[in-house]
Amino acid sequence: MSHEPLTEPLTLRCGATIPHRIAKSAMSEQLGDRRNGPTRELAELYRTWATGGAGVLVTGNVMVDPKALGEPRNVALPATPSAADYRGWADSVRGTDARLWVQLNHPGRQSPRFLSRRPVAPSAVPFADRGVRSAFATPRALTSDEVEAIIERFVLAAKTFVDAGFAGIQLHGAHGYLISQFLSPLTNLRTDEWGGDAVKRRRFLLELVRRTRAAIGDRVPLSVKLNSADFQRGGFGEDESLEVVQELDAAGLDLLEISGGTYEKAAMMGAGKQSTVRREAYFLDYAAKARKVSEFALMVTGGFATAEGMTEALKSGALDVVGLGRPMTVAPDLAGSLLAGDDVRAERLCPKTGIRLADSLLEIQWHTQQLHRVAAGKPVDRRRGALRSLVHAGLNDPLNAFRRVRG
């Protein structure tokens, strides 16, 4: 099979171009300094990925409020930010074809207890899952003024990073973080202008898109990462998600990255239908439906394992960009290898434990450890035993293992 579709450039509706169809999707690097600023290691990591051939590099979630972190070493925008603080990170891709996009986020209630004793959210709704609830405190409901203030923090962050030299902006509206919490009827029980029905629940996201676009201009790519569904009974479902897609299209979005699930139902980690998993892309069926109601570029992340599978998905017309995450932590030059036509299979890069906890948060953190090794210029550790030891530590003492891999 010819893999030519992978190498084709893509022009977004804003006029910006992407050099080819392989992107590094966002992963949480946890490489900020003690003040939640970017570090040399973070810049080195992105320099490595850029020279490894990725066309678009989406950063891990940069938090818009330093008091609301998802992990202790998140990069977070300070109260009074300076674009100069982020120019070293932006310059890390200089001399390559890579486009560096920053992903902006707010965790809402998904800020662990050891970071936030009273997180904020659309409504004061704790996690339903007992195990997850043990790690996260019950949130406090935001006031209307606080909602407006958070929107302005997103806008300020977007403007700051564009001024610093970043090539694009992505708003993280998936995986149960704050934007996703506003969209879901399970976590948004408000009866004011920010909730009460599907139209008002999506207002937060649409206001973010509108105001961010006004701040960064019409020529800078603006993207949203959106759940196809959160896979919880009574939650944010596919039909409502497709309605959001239509409104994002009307708002002039440039690219939509499709994902799914939350901390309680982690579809983004591979908990999809087996027929879909065998076809590699977890969210390809949803992408085909989103294609029918939108004209912006579509990016699908999750499950891709071979150049053949990626090429087949692109040829289907259901998506425009292939997103790769965890395999890029153990093969930073994976994109370049795929584009060169090498016989690379992503699933061979990542060891498996052979136990059901393999696709868990702890396995994600194993990949984060490998990411840190790349950032430090060290070889990755692909031993199956290394992953098994981390997983078994999590089985015996989940909270301490959770803290250890984030420390």
Side-chain angles (χ1 to χ4, degrees), residues 83-84 87 156-166 215:
R87 288 197 179 116
L156 177 61
K159 183 69 165 57
T160 300
F161 278 93
V162 169
D163 289 347
F166 282 72

Side-chain angles (χ1 to χ4, degrees), residues 57 161 180 321 338 344 386:
L57 293 169
F161 278 93
S180 183
V321 181
L338 290 166
V344 180

Side-chain angles (χ1 to χ4, degrees), residues 259-261 265-274 276-278 280-283 301-303 326 352 358-360 363-364:
S259 191
K265 294 289 184 179
M268 66 284 198
M269 298 177 195
K273 294 180 179 178
Q274 287 305 306
T276 306
V277 172
R278 282 195 297 271
E280 295 193 14
Y282 298 153
F283 306 107
T301 301
R326 284 178 282 173
K352 298 296 181 182
D359 277 321
S360 69
E363 186 180 344
I364 294 292

Side-chain angles (χ1 to χ4, degrees), residues 373-396:
R373 295 180 70 87
V374 173
K378 299 177 181 179
V380 298
D381 185 357
R382 299 179 187 172
R383 295 174 300 155
R384 176 172 172 170
L387 178 55
R388 286 187 67 91
S389 65
L390 177 61
V391 170
H392 283 298
L395 284 169
N396 294 328

Side-chain angles (χ1 to χ4, degrees), residues 4-336:
E4 184 178 351
L6 288 173
T7 66
E8 293 176 355
L10 174 67
T11 300
L12 302 175
R13 59 169 32 162
C14 68
T17 60
I18 293 174
H20 56 74
R21 304 305 178 95
I22 300 177
K24 195 284 294 181
S25 186
M27 293 176 285
S28 181
E29 305 98 358
Q30 301 168 58
L31 283 171
D33 61 24
R34 292 184 178 181
R35 296 183 178 181
N36 300 108
T39 58
R40 291 181 181 179
E41 290 81 7
L42 190 58
E44 180 59 32
L45 176 65
Y46 278 83
R47 184 177 295 109
T48 301
W49 276 326
T51 57
V56 173
L57 293 169
V58 185
T59 72
N61 43 17
V62 171
M63 297 301 175
V64 300
D65 183 348
K67 300 186 297 295
L69 303 177
E71 296 98 8
R73 294 187 66 190
N74 285 150
V75 173
L77 198 75
T80 306
S82 170
D85 293 337
Y86 305 102
R87 288 197 179 116
W89 192 4
D91 288 345
S92 66
V93 303
R94 188 183 297 274
T96 73
D97 291 331
R99 286 20 173 199
L100 182 57
W101 294 7
V102 64
Q103 184 190 78
L104 302 178
N105 195 8
H106 188 296
R109 69 176 186 169
Q110 288 184 177
S111 182
R113 287 180 185 270
F114 63 91
L115 289 176
S116 180
R117 294 182 179 179
R118 196 74 188 278
V120 295
S123 302
V125 179
F127 284 95
D129 182 274
R130 183 179 299 176
V132 178
R133 190 168 64 243
S134 67
F136 299 91
T138 299
R140 173 181 64 79
L142 290 160
T143 67
S144 293
D145 287 345
E146 288 174 325
V147 173
E148 289 284 351
I150 289 175
I151 292 175
E152 290 307 311
R153 290 295 299 177
F154 271 95
V155 173
L156 177 61
K159 183 69 165 57
T160 300
F161 278 93
V162 169
D163 289 347
F166 282 72
I169 302 294
Q170 183 177 86
L171 306 175
H172 196 339
H175 302 173
Y177 293 106
L178 184 65
I179 296 175
S180 183
Q181 291 163 34
F182 268 97
L183 290 170
S184 173
L186 293 179
T187 49
N188 185 349
L189 308 182
R190 303 176 73 97
T191 56
D192 61 2
E193 66 270 33
W194 303 106
D197 58 35
V199 173
K200 291 181 180 179
R201 288 198 305 273
R202 70 185 67 137
R203 183 178 172 223
F204 181 75
L205 171 57
L206 294 173
E207 278 294 300
L208 279 177
V209 169
R210 182 181 67 82
R211 298 189 204 181
T212 301
R213 173 60 78 196
I216 65 176
D218 295 332
R219 307 298 291 176
V220 177
L222 180 57
S223 169
V224 166
K225 189 168 189 172
L226 183 73
N227 273 356
S228 59
D230 59 23
F231 302 102
Q232 292 178 279
R233 186 181 297 276
F236 183 68
E238 186 176 286
D239 290 343
E240 191 172 328
S241 180
L242 289 170
E243 292 174 0
V244 174
V245 169
Q246 288 180 282
E247 297 208 36
L248 289 172
D249 186 60
L253 198 72
D254 294 298
L255 180 143
L256 181 77
E257 182 180 358
I258 297 167
S259 191
T262 67
Y263 279 17
E264 293 177 288
K265 294 289 184 179
M268 66 284 198
M269 298 177 195
K273 294 180 179 178
Q274 287 305 306
S275 60
T276 306
V277 172
R278 282 195 297 271
R279 201 176 53 213
E280 295 193 14
Y282 298 153
F283 306 107
L284 195 59
D285 291 342
Y286 174 87
K289 296 175 183 178
R291 172 68 78 209
K292 294 179 180 179
V293 298
S294 65
E295 296 182 359
F296 45 48
L298 291 173
M299 174 175 165
V300 174
T301 301
F304 285 109
T306 64
E308 289 81 6
M310 298 172 200
T311 301
E312 182 180 342
L314 287 168
K315 285 185 173 180
S316 76
L319 67 151
D320 302 287
V321 181
V322 171
L324 297 175
R326 284 178 282 173
M328 297 281 277
T329 68
V330 291
D333 60 350
L334 178 59

